[in-house]
Amino acid sequence: MKITSTSCICPVLVCLCFVQRCYGTAHHSSIKVTRNQTKHIEGETEVHHRPKRGWVWNQFFVLEEHMGPDPQYVGKLHSNSDKGDGSVKYILTGEGAGTIFIIDDTTGDIHSTKSLDREQKTHYVLHAQAIDRRTNKPLEPESEFIIKVQDINDNAPKFTDGPYIVTVPEMSDMGTSVLQVTATDADDPTYGNSARVVYSILQGQPYFSVDPKTGVIRTALHNMDREAREHYSVVIQAKDMAGQVGGLSGSTTVNITLTDVNDNPPRFPQKHYQLYVPESAQVGSAVGKIKANDADTGSNADMTYSIINGDGIGIFSISTDKETREGILSLKKPLNYEKKKSYTLTIEGANTHLDFRFSHLGPFKDATMLKIIVGDVDEPPLFSMPSYVMEVYENAKIGTVVGTVLAQDPDSANSLVRYFIDYSAEDDRCFNIDANTGTIRTTKVLDREETSWYNITVAASENDNPGLLSHVTVGIRVLDVNDNPPELAREYDIVVCENSKPVSNLVFAFSLQVIHTISATDKDDFANGPRFNFFLDEHLSINPNFTLKDNEDNTASILTRRRRFSRTIQDVYYLPIMISDGGIPSLSSSSTLTVRVCACERDGRVRTCHAEAFLSSAGLSTGALIAILLCVVILLAIVVLFITLRRSKKEPLIISEEDVRENVVTYDDEGGGEEDTEAFDITALRNPSAAEELKYRRDIRPEVKLTPRHQTLSTLESIDVQEFIKQKLAEADLDPSVPPYDSLQTYAYEGQRSEAGSISSLDSATTQSDQDYHYLGDWGPEFKKLAELYGEIESERTT
């Protein structure tokens, strides 16, 4: 089958078709086609028929963007089996078959029904087949072919990254690269010149140029100055078809800014300046500003100012304001119009960041002359000293001279000066000043112990200008005189322990016991205070129990002459003492020390010093004592009520024999009742020695005669209570005439004897024992009172 196309008009394509057809025929001549082989009878040879190739491969082309009214003709399919009688049917399948591409099934003509865009799809793959209409059997094998969309110049170049913003340093060499721009064309770059782009500059000449092939923008002039022009707008065009007439074009804008370099030195607008500064200007204050201009920007315009010459170098200084790039002139020393009326300074301004490429443009610094005129100002009086210190004794008479201040007018007029003390509202006005002479005097009697130092402010003004003031501080120290006697440093609480452990007679004969150390204080100054002397007041009766020792270090020791004290005999002692200071003349005072006798622990700690404190030492407050007393009263009332109820209850004399319970008591609660305690008579158990002799009726309350305590103890020691109880239980069990009265009883029996023995004091008064009862204090708080009582008896017996 032949495949023809409109492209075969080209002789080259005709040659290609012919070569390809010949190649295909020669190639397939050696291929075995099994479907055309004929099988003969057994024994006969096979006959091979070479099939004739009817399909020839080819490629179709169709122009994009076809806008005609009729479908665009693409090509024709033809099979050698087609005799022109319509028996052959052509079928087209694949991409776009039936929608974009249609085929005449009789003639094999292919047409395109739609306008195609190569930029969306470049080619279509289809399959062709020829079949017999009558039998629907294929006449040729299915063949694949391609329809390529042929490009036309329908897309203009585009700058995808525009517009552009770029910078280049000023003063750059000609040809310095600025930026490379790139335009893209969607047309086929392999077919014709539709995608071949050429660049040109539409705006920006003669400052910049562009390479037509690469799109690189470069500077076109030497030494472009930012100070002359800073911003440029360059328009670049890209045109396809290699720039020929009829090609499509696109453009973009490149905004170019020249960046600054340090190519301009600073310059002062004037070569001479004049500045007025009053002599009253404060040291350290800014008195003026000066500025040099620099055409550059940023760090290229930074500069520093300095004073390089002049007679005011030591009087003035200059600094640089980083924000405004100004020179700030400040005063280093005070000005005095009467001494010097003008100064001259040479000020220089220089760039801090230099670019040596432009050093040929000149020195990057400039200088100017500044003349400073000192203005005359009426100044306040000037004191002879910056501050004054004066002294005066306390208790001095009113009007005593403290000191004198002096101030003068520094101006040439030398006006008279008047003085006064500048008091605030809360100040205590203890001094005044002579308005003409400046002499300060007292107005009150001063007390150093109340205020030892005064600070006052003295003001001075000119008679001609009272509003112009100057001030000075005057410190007045009040000197001390000996006008305060010494006193005890504090109120001393001196305590001695009663019943303290006695020292041996030998130590007692040759030494005294120190019970306290006292010290003194004096409101006067050190020179009129220590050293202090302590001694007993000879005008009063000397206490025989205590004495005083001066330690000669401004302290004194209180010593006791007794070994033991008793609060019951005397609980407070008084000791009058005298104290004198070291002033001239010496002053003295008398004081009385109080010595209390207190009960102490064995380690010396004070337990109590008053009789009413005995109960509180055990940790009981008044409220607790009242509560205990109330509880005792309530318990007594309950006991009395219980006894009354017991007496009112009468028990029958004879127990009925018909009562089968036989004195069995029924309870409605968990605990035992009063009836249960009467079930068994335990009187005999409480006194086992008399158990056999005493027999009581149940209706008569027995009268038991209690034996003395020592007889009871001796009897209990000889009788085993446990054996006695067992004996009584056995007798009750064996007695058939009585009901079983056995029940579990609990007896508060302490045992046969006590290890501690008797602590009764009944016979203590008649004994002459020297026993030491201090060990009772170790038995606990319950025995402390007993230890104190025996301690006092022993103390009195020894005395």
Side-chain angles (χ1 to χ4, degrees):
M1 183 174 67
K2 297 180 181 179
I3 301 176
T4 59
S5 173
T6 55
S7 61
C8 292
I9 300 174
C10 179
V12 177
L13 296 178
V14 172
C15 293
L16 289 174
C17 292
F18 177 74
V19 172
Q20 194 167 15
R21 179 177 300 184
C22 294
Y23 174 78
T25 304
H27 179 69
H28 289 285
S29 61
S30 61
I31 298 177
K32 296 180 181 180
V33 184
T34 58
R35 68 183 181 88
N36 289 330
Q37 294 177 353
T38 304
K39 190 174 182 181
H40 296 272
I41 302 174
E42 238 182 271
E44 296 184 2
T45 59
E46 291 184 0
V47 179
H48 296 275
H49 298 279
R50 186 180 68 180
K52 183 178 180 181
R53 180 68 173 166
W55 290 103
V56 179
W57 179 89
N58 204 347
Q59 183 173 267
F60 294 143
F61 293 89
V62 60
L63 290 175
E64 68 170 335
E65 305 294 344
H66 177 71
M67 304 299 293
D70 299 327
Q72 184 181 2
Y73 181 73
V74 178
K76 184 178 181 65
L77 299 178
H78 184 71
S79 173
N80 291 337
S81 302
D82 190 0
K83 304 302 183 179
D85 55 358
S87 61
V88 178
K89 181 180 179 180
Y90 297 96
I91 299 175
L92 186 66
T93 60
E95 296 179 338
T99 56
I100 300 176
F101 303 103
I102 59 175
I103 187 172
D104 190 330
D105 60 355
T106 303
T107 62
D109 292 331
I110 301 174
H111 290 80
S112 173
T113 62
K114 295 182 180 180
S115 177
L116 304 180
D117 188 357
R118 189 202 67 85
E119 285 71 37
Q120 294 183 358
K121 190 171 180 63
T122 60
H123 65 278
Y124 297 86
V125 180
L126 294 98
H127 298 85
Q129 191 175 18
I131 62 174
D132 192 333
R133 287 183 184 271
R134 293 184 297 272
T135 63
N136 286 329
K137 294 184 178 179
L139 300 176
E140 301 284 351
E142 186 179 89
S143 178
E144 181 181 278
F145 65 95
I146 298 174
I147 299 178
K148 297 189 70 175
V149 182
Q150 190 172 0
D151 183 53
I152 64 173
N153 190 18
D154 60 341
N155 290 280
K158 293 182 179 179
F159 293 92
T160 58
D161 297 332
Y164 301 88
I165 299 175
V166 68
T167 60
V168 62
E170 66 171 333
M171 309 300 291
S172 298
D173 296 335
M174 185 176 68
T176 300
S177 177
V178 178
L179 177 69
Q180 182 179 12
V181 295
T182 302
T184 58
D185 196 315
D187 293 326
D188 189 359
T190 63
Y191 180 77
N193 294 326
S194 297
R196 185 179 177 185
V197 178
V198 175
Y199 300 95
S200 61
I201 185 168
L202 300 182
Q203 178 182 322
Q205 295 176 331
Y207 306 104
F208 300 94
S209 63
V210 65
D211 189 301
K213 295 182 179 180
T214 62
V216 176
I217 303 173
R218 302 179 184 274
T219 58
L221 292 179
H222 285 287
N223 300 331
M224 298 177 66
D225 191 3
R226 184 198 66 84
E227 288 72 34
R229 183 176 177 181
E230 184 176 5
H231 301 286
Y232 296 86
S233 181
V234 179
V235 179
I236 303 297
Q237 184 189 63
K239 190 174 184 181
D240 60 11
M241 299 299 292
Q244 298 177 5
V245 178
L248 302 178
S249 64
S251 62
T252 186
T253 301
V254 181
N255 296 311
I256 302 175
T257 301
L258 298 182
T259 58
D260 184 63
V261 298
N262 192 11
D263 58 341
N264 293 278
R267 292 289 180 265
F268 285 102
Q270 300 175 212
K271 291 299 180 183
H272 297 277
Y273 290 90
Q274 185 170 309
L275 179 66
Y276 174 82
V277 180
E279 64 173 339
S280 59
Q282 298 295 320
V283 174
S285 63
V287 296
K289 297 180 180 180
I290 193 169
K291 184 177 182 180
N293 297 327
D294 194 322
D296 296 323
T297 60
S299 61
N300 296 318
D302 291 342
M303 66 184 72
T304 57
Y305 297 90
S306 59
I307 300 175
I308 60 176
N309 200 0
D311 56 358
I313 294 179
I315 306 298
F316 299 92
S317 63
I318 192 169
S319 60
T320 305
D321 190 330
K322 301 297 182 181
E323 299 294 332
T324 62
R325 297 189 177 93
E326 294 177 328
I328 309 299
L329 195 67
S330 302
L331 187 63
K332 291 173 61 177
K333 295 182 180 180
L335 301 177
N336 193 334
Y337 174 82
E338 286 72 25
K339 292 183 178 179
K340 189 171 180 62
K341 297 179 174 57
S342 65
Y343 296 90
T344 301
L345 300 175
T346 301
I347 298 177
E348 180 184 78
N351 281 139
T352 55
H353 304 284
L354 300 179
D355 193 338
F356 295 100
R357 296 178 300 171
F358 308 105
S359 59
H360 62 279
L361 298 178
F364 283 78
K365 58 184 178 180
D366 194 18
T368 187
M369 188 75 67
L370 176 63
K371 184 177 182 180
I372 300 174
I373 306 299
V374 180
D376 186 21
V377 177
D378 190 5
E379 300 174 84
L382 182 64
F383 283 94
S384 59
M385 297 176 63
S387 63
Y388 294 87
V389 177
M390 302 176 183
E391 295 178 344
V392 62
Y393 279 98
E394 66 174 329
N395 300 329
K397 296 180 179 180
I398 297 176
T400 300
V401 176
V402 180
T404 303
V405 296
L406 178 63
Q408 293 181 346
D409 184 8
D411 298 324
S412 56
N414 196 13
S415 302
L416 295 178
V417 176
R418 296 185 63 83
Y419 305 93
F420 60 93
I421 298 177
D422 189 4
Y423 281 113
S424 59
E426 63 275 6
D427 285 344
D428 188 10
R429 304 191 178 188
C430 300
F431 306 93
N432 63 11
I433 189 171
D434 191 297
N436 298 318
T437 63
T439 301
I440 300 175
R441 300 175 183 272
T442 61
T443 59
K444 293 182 179 180
V445 176
L446 306 179
D447 186 0
R448 189 202 67 86
E449 287 71 38
E450 181 179 350
T451 305
S452 61
W453 186 275
Y454 292 88
N455 287 315
I456 62 175
T457 301
V458 176
S461 65
E462 298 178 6
N463 285 340
D464 299 337
N465 190 0
L468 198 61
L469 301 174
S470 61
H471 299 80
V472 70
T473 301
V474 180
I476 302 174
R477 180 186 296 110
V478 181
L479 302 178
D480 182 56
V481 296
N482 192 16
D483 58 345
N484 290 280
E487 299 175 351
L488 288 176
R490 58 185 176 86
E491 293 184 2
Y492 290 95
D493 185 12
I494 303 176
V495 174
V496 294
C497 294
E498 66 171 347
N499 301 328
S500 60
K501 186 176 182 180
V503 297
S504 63
N505 295 332
L506 182 61
V507 176
F508 180 78
F510 295 99
S511 64
L512 298 176
Q513 184 181 2
V514 178
I515 61 173
H516 211 85
T517 301
I518 62 174
S519 61
T521 183
D522 197 324
K523 295 181 181 179
D524 292 324
D525 199 1
F526 183 83
N528 294 316
R531 112 163 176 78
F532 297 119
N533 295 317
F534 299 85
F535 50 92
L536 296 176
D537 192 352
E538 299 177 352
H539 300 86
L540 300 176
S541 60
I542 302 301
N543 193 321
N545 299 299
F546 303 95
T547 185
L548 177 70
K549 177 186 176 183
D550 192 342
N551 297 326
E552 297 183 356
D553 59 353
N554 297 323
T555 64
S557 298
I558 307 299
L559 298 91
T560 176
R561 294 172 175 171
R562 292 187 60 179
R563 290 189 302 166
R564 304 177 69 90
F565 292 88
S566 176
R567 286 181 294 169
T568 58
I569 299 175
Q570 184 174 352
D571 60 348
V572 178
Y573 296 88
Y574 299 99
L575 182 64
I577 63 172
M578 297 288 293
I579 309 173
S580 63
D581 59 19
I584 301 175
S586 177
L587 296 180
S588 62
S589 64
S590 62
S591 300
T592 301
L593 294 177
T594 302
V595 182
R596 296 185 298 154
V597 180
C598 299
C600 302
E601 303 288 352
R602 297 191 66 183
D603 56 359
R605 291 180 299 171
V606 176
R607 181 154 47 91
T608 179
C609 291
H610 301 286
E612 59 271 13
F614 290 157
L615 291 176
S616 62
S617 63
L620 297 177
S621 61
T622 304
L625 292 175
I626 295 173
I628 292 173
L629 293 176
L630 289 176
C631 292
V632 171
V633 171
I634 293 173
L635 290 175
L636 291 176
I638 292 173
V639 171
V640 171
L641 180 62
F642 178 73
I643 293 172
T644 304
L645 292 176
R646 286 291 302 268
R647 289 181 177 179
S648 63
K649 182 178 180 180
K650 295 184 178 179
E651 202 170 313
L653 300 178
I654 300 176
I655 300 175
S656 174
E657 295 180 355
E658 296 179 359
D659 190 356
V660 296
R661 293 177 299 174
E662 297 181 354
N663 203 23
V664 177
V665 182
T666 302
Y667 304 97
D668 293 331
D669 52 2
E670 294 182 359
E674 296 175 358
E675 300 295 336
D676 189 27
T677 61
E678 299 176 359
F680 186 76
D681 190 0
I682 64 172
T683 306
L685 295 180
R686 297 193 180 276
N687 192 359
S689 61
E692 294 293 334
E693 300 176 0
L694 299 178
K695 300 293 184 178
Y696 304 110
R697 287 176 54 185
R698 297 188 61 187
D699 58 337
I700 300 175
R701 181 175 299 276
E703 295 180 1
V704 180
K705 296 182 180 179
L706 297 178
T707 61
R709 181 176 180 81
H710 63 278
Q711 295 178 2
T712 302
L713 293 175
S714 62
T715 304
L716 291 176
E717 290 177 357
S718 61
I719 297 175
D720 190 344
V721 178
Q722 185 176 5
E723 293 296 332
F724 176 76
I725 293 175
K726 289 181 180 181
Q727 179 182 354
K728 287 300 181 181
L729 287 176
E731 292 176 359
D733 292 338
L734 296 177
D735 188 359
S737 61
V738 295
Y741 288 100
D742 55 315
S743 62
L744 179 63
Q745 302 291 337
T746 301
Y747 304 101
Y749 180 65
E750 297 182 356
Q752 294 183 359
R753 60 180 298 177
S754 174
E755 295 293 336
S758 176
I759 58 173
S760 174
S761 61
L762 297 177
D763 298 332
S764 299
T766 60
T767 62
Q768 301 295 329
S769 176
D770 294 333
Q771 183 178 358
D772 187 2
Y773 293 97
H774 286 86
Y775 67 89
L776 296 177
D778 298 333
W779 287 8
E782 296 81 359
F783 295 92
K784 289 187 181 294
K785 180 58 179 176
L786 191 61
E788 294 172 3
L789 294 175
Y790 275 88
E792 292 177 0
I793 295 172
E794 174 64 22
S795 176
E796 293 173 358
R797 184 182 298 128
T798 304
T799 303

